[in-house]
Amino acid sequence: MGISAPSVPRVWRERIIKYRLLGSKCADCGKISYPPRKACPRCGSTNLVEISLPKRGKVLSYTVIRTPPRGYLKYSPYIIALIELENGARILAQLTDVDPDEVKSGMVVEAVFRRYREQGEDGIIEYGIKFRPPIT
Amino acid sequence: MKPSKSTGILGYGVYIPVYRIKGEEIARVWGRSKAAIPIQEKSVPGLDEDSITFAVEASKNAIQRAGINPEEIEAVYVGSESPPYAVKPTATVVAEALGISPRLIAIDMEFACRAGTTAMQSIMGLVASSMIKYGLAIGTDTAQGRPRDELEYTAAAGAAAFIIAPHSSENIAYIEGSYSYVTDTTDFWRRDGEVYPRHAYRFTGEPAYFHHIYEAAVGLMEELGLKSSDFDYAVFHQPNVKFPVRIAKRLGFPMEKIKDGLLSNIIGNTYAASSMIGLAAVLDVAKPGERILMVSFGSGAGSDAFSIVVQDAIEEKRRLAPLVRDYIEKRKYIDYAVYARYRSKIKTR
Ligand SMILES: [Zn+2]
């Protein structure tokens, strides 16, 4: 909390991962991670491949952020959810287009490209994947 | 204005944000009579949305319908008058988000509400000349109207994207031709650094909207040897409900032929996306063999007219992405206070 905004080069380096929801899969034990890792958090293997993660899943649990870190005040309150994707991978992501009192564990959500934050009025705008109740 | 080689539409997609505000609610705040409300309700972007996020979703839907690998797209042209950055292209973010870049012709275009259809025309030229195979043309806007102004009731938000391809039976429609009509007519403008546009009120009608659309439509029909009775549907730029209904009548189209593509009463004026979402709504219901006239209008001023004939592939491709109707039905009403927050009209410091 209170951490300053990531640098322009860092946002640039991470853009594809965030824009397209890319993760890593351990070629030895099958563990899927998001964001992608260099070493497997389960077995320590460095034999990891980058994969495109499924764009649908369900909410396992969630929390409402009412005291957000810098740069996110505009969106407060917002919801961070633990989402189980269709391939079983679990990721943390923001929910959007849904009010805190409408969220339920087990609800189906789909990936959507949205603004993460603005680095002030004159700074860069960060984008990436969030999740919302499906359109159809 | 017909390319030597024919082109078609391989895929199309739209995006309309989930939030709506009713005209009645805006009128309540400003003490305006209900009888003077131009449309029923309009779409409003959420806090984490802008014309870039809109463009990404509409394009994703278009690619889904086209059934191609994003890497096969060689041009991305984005028409908008509400880019999030004054300097820094929208097209690059859209392309990268969808996996289209980096071997790519990418550009942002601006011509008020007309830029999206001009993007379509430009891509038609690139495809017809075989310079590229597939190109993506996008119209996307999150328009702002000055509080209390007439435009506040209608200035809305949406996006549409079309993938233009060489003529083929894979296409959901083929484009018979297009025609543009442009003059220096200052009916609506926004100076650099200003948040809200200004308009010359009544001047936006006859010399601007009606003249340009009429000339573009008639010009196209003359070049193609068609008359209004040859078309099954007509779609016009829709800044309100009154204008498109009146121009349809003047061009000889009955209400029956414009109703499927006339959405301004329930989503508002989506600017660069307006006539393109209307076209998408027609493609959602049209049958193979039917002919559609689409005419955009952008202040400043100009119109692009297209004659589009639906092909058999529409039947299987229609369902591959959400329909316009799906986005219209998925809606959440907000009051003026929340609207003011969402559109950054409340100062917090
Ligand atoms: Zn492992």
Side-chain angles (χ1 to χ4, degrees):
Chain A
M1 297 292 149
I3 38 168
S4 60
S7 68
V8 172
R10 182 173 162 196
V11 173
W12 173 77
R13 264 196 318 274
E14 294 174 352
R15 74 193 187 287
I16 308 287
I17 292 165
K18 289 182 174 163
Y19 287 5
R20 301 189 208 154
L21 199 66
L22 301 182
S24 58
K25 184 174 184 176
C26 175
D28 293 321
C29 79
K31 167 83 180 169
I32 295 166
S33 306
Y34 178 83
R37 309 258 190 145
K38 289 204 162 51
C40 176
R42 186 194 280 157
C43 74
S45 166
T46 52
N47 195 7
L48 272 59
V49 288
E50 195 174 78
I51 60 163
S52 177
L53 296 171
K55 304 299 183 279
R56 261 172 116 97
K58 63 176 189 215
V59 173
L60 294 179
S61 62
Y62 63 94
T63 183
V64 181
I65 308 291
R66 295 180 189 278
T67 314
R70 199 170 356 158
Y72 292 91
L73 187 62
K74 179 179 172 181
Y75 312 109
S76 172
Y78 59 89
I79 306 149
I80 299 280
L82 178 65
I83 296 164
E84 185 177 86
L85 300 175
E86 282 175 342
N87 65 355
R90 293 176 175 196
I91 68 167
L92 277 175
Q94 225 189 97
L95 299 186
T96 189
D97 287 354
V98 65
D99 297 326
D101 59 6
E102 296 170 329
V103 185
K104 287 181 193 67
S105 294
M107 75 187 274
V108 174
V109 288
E110 68 181 5
V112 61
F113 185 84
R114 291 293 168 92
R115 278 183 179 202
Y116 275 1
R117 71 169 140 186
E118 289 165 68
Q119 296 191 359
E121 290 278 303
D122 58 355
I124 61 165
I125 305 167
E126 297 171 43
Y127 294 92
I129 295 294
K130 296 183 182 180
F131 283 80
R132 70 164 177 212
I135 292 294
T136 51
Chain B
M1 295 182 172
K2 195 176 163 173
S4 54
K5 268 193 265 172
S6 187
T7 62
I9 297 168
L10 183 62
Y12 67 97
V14 305
Y15 178 69
I16 300 162
V18 75
Y19 302 102
R20 302 281 185 285
I21 184 165
K22 287 183 184 287
E24 267 177 28
E25 170 67 3
I26 301 172
R28 178 184 68 83
V29 171
W30 302 115
R32 191 177 184 179
S33 113
K34 277 188 188 174
I37 301 168
I39 63 167
Q40 189 185 309
E41 58 201 58
K42 68 167 188 175
S43 58
V44 180
L47 283 167
D48 58 0
E49 299 190 278
D50 57 31
S51 56
I52 289 182
T53 65
F54 279 28
V56 170
E57 183 156 345
S59 303
K60 190 199 78 173
N61 289 333
I63 293 168
Q64 233 163 271
R65 278 203 178 93
I68 55 172
N69 184 333
E71 286 169 8
E72 296 178 79
I73 296 169
E74 296 169 291
V76 174
Y77 282 32
V78 186
S80 182
E81 61 120 74
S82 52
Y85 288 95
V87 177
K88 149 79 196 169
T90 288
T92 53
V93 186
V94 174
E96 202 97 281
L98 296 166
I100 298 172
S101 60
R103 187 186 170 276
L104 182 71
I105 306 170
I107 193 80
D108 290 8
M109 304 172 94
E110 190 275 321
F111 196 130
C113 302
R114 167 178 173 260
T117 54
T118 307
M120 282 176 74
Q121 257 182 336
S122 312
I123 301 246
M124 280 166 62
L126 295 176
V127 171
S129 68
S130 307
M131 191 164 159
I132 64 167
K133 188 168 183 196
Y134 302 129
L136 176 61
I138 305 164
T140 180
D141 265 313
T142 55
Q144 284 271 29
R146 186 185 301 276
R148 182 180 239 159
D149 187 84
E150 175 74 15
L151 285 182
E152 189 178 28
Y153 293 87
T154 55
F162 288 82
I163 292 175
I164 309 295
H167 186 53
S168 140
S169 61
E170 297 283 300
N171 293 340
I172 56 142
Y174 73 91
I175 304 170
E176 288 187 300
S178 76
Y179 186 97
S180 291
Y181 185 88
V182 172
T183 73
D184 177 14
T185 304
T186 314
D187 56 318
F188 166 104
W189 64 93
R190 179 165 62 83
R191 293 285 302 275
D192 195 23
E194 292 293 311
V195 176
Y196 300 115
R198 289 187 54 190
H199 53 92
Y201 204 54
R202 296 205 181 282
F203 191 63
T204 58
E206 222 36 75
Y209 180 90
F210 295 104
H211 177 67
H212 291 80
I213 291 189
Y214 185 86
E215 292 299 330
V218 168
L220 177 76
M221 288 193 267
E222 276 175 7
E223 282 197 2
L224 296 178
L226 296 169
K227 45 192 189 307
S228 47
S229 58
D230 293 322
F231 292 89
D232 301 284
Y233 300 92
V235 180
F236 303 102
H237 174 57
Q238 29 207 279
N240 48 40
V241 179
K242 216 163 52 184
F243 279 22
V245 168
R246 196 184 300 165
I247 191 68
K249 204 173 202 179
R250 196 176 293 181
L251 285 164
F253 294 99
M255 196 61 196
E256 190 57 28
K257 289 187 180 180
I258 64 166
K259 64 170 184 25
D260 289 297
L262 183 54
L263 306 169
S264 46
N265 200 40
I266 44 177
I267 62 171
N269 177 4
T270 56
Y271 282 55
S274 176
S275 56
M276 295 167 79
I277 294 179
L279 172 61
V282 169
L283 291 172
D284 281 350
V285 298
K287 290 188 268 303
E290 290 187 319
R291 183 182 277 125
I292 306 162
L293 173 73
M294 169 176 68
V295 193
S296 64
F297 171 73
S299 291
S303 284
D304 303 321
F306 299 77
S307 178
I308 294 160
V309 179
V310 181
Q311 301 196 134
D312 292 343
I314 188 71
E315 308 279 18
E316 53 176 276
K317 287 194 168 157
R318 187 177 278 152
R319 274 283 152 199
L320 299 179
L323 304 172
V324 175
R325 186 64 40 194
D326 295 324
Y327 282 105
I328 288 173
E329 281 166 9
K330 188 106 186 166
R331 60 188 187 267
K332 296 172 99 166
Y333 289 102
I334 55 174
D335 61 16
Y336 195 89
V338 172
Y339 165 74
R341 180 188 172 196
Y342 283 8
R343 299 309 280 134
S344 305
K345 294 177 199 293
I346 301 177
K347 292 230 179 301
T348 53
R349 62 180 185 125

